[in-house]
Amino acid sequence: MLRLLLDEHLSPRIVKQFLVKCPGGNMASVLEWQDARLSGALDDLLLTEAHQHKLTLVTYDQATIVPLLKSWAEQGISHSGVIFIDDKTIRQDDFGGIIRALGQLWQKGRNENWLNRVVYLTRPTEA
């Protein structure tokens, strides 16, 4: 089951709206999950904790996460998946676009194995 964890650069408002639009969906914000203890944490700690809880990280942070994932792959370290969003595809302040795109991805991939999977979120299709 796909379980999403938004990094600290994504608004927790996205979680609330996503859960309304995708009943049965599973999403949390690092700003609220586990009393926000991972807010501001280093990427490796965040990914390790997410993996321990089988959470797929959702982030715009390609600058530091991509090299970390490459390093982990070379070392054989697993993660529970990362979904990258790019500002050129969906702006960071486009909550509706983010929610629709994550909802469409969740509908398609909610029962798939997300171990070590990396996906770039695409612009949502209009319904």
Side-chain angles (χ1 to χ4, degrees):
M1 173 66 87
L2 179 59
R3 300 173 63 219
L4 303 170
L5 179 64
L6 303 182
D7 78 359
E8 62 191 30
H9 302 291
L10 288 155
S11 172
R13 291 184 359 206
I14 293 169
V15 174
K16 292 170 183 61
Q17 293 176 22
F18 175 86
L19 295 175
V20 167
K21 298 210 181 268
C22 297
N26 192 314
M27 178 187 283
S29 166
V30 76
L31 296 172
E32 298 174 342
W33 183 66
Q34 294 189 342
D35 296 323
R37 73 176 182 82
L38 293 173
S39 181
L42 296 176
D43 295 333
D44 58 343
L45 176 60
L46 180 58
L47 278 172
T48 298
E49 286 281 329
H51 183 53
Q52 288 174 354
H53 294 275
K54 296 182 171 76
L55 296 168
T56 298
L57 183 67
V58 180
T59 184
Y60 276 87
D61 184 6
Q62 297 176 54
T64 61
I65 301 286
V66 170
L68 178 60
L69 292 177
K70 182 177 184 291
S71 174
W72 279 19
E74 291 166 353
Q75 297 173 58
I77 300 172
S78 291
H79 58 86
S80 291
V82 177
I83 299 169
F84 287 110
I85 311 174
D86 191 296
D87 261 326
K88 294 176 186 161
T89 305
I90 305 170
R91 289 184 335 272
Q92 203 161 346
D93 63 354
D94 182 4
F95 293 171
I98 293 168
I99 292 161
R100 282 191 307 278
L102 286 172
Q104 289 171 4
L105 179 65
W106 183 79
Q107 289 293 337
K108 286 191 244 178
R110 65 182 167 200
N111 294 316
E112 295 176 7
N113 181 359
W114 282 81
L115 183 67
N116 297 322
R117 190 168 171 185
V118 176
V119 170
Y120 284 82
L121 196 62
T122 58
R123 186 178 309 277
T125 55
E126 295 303 319

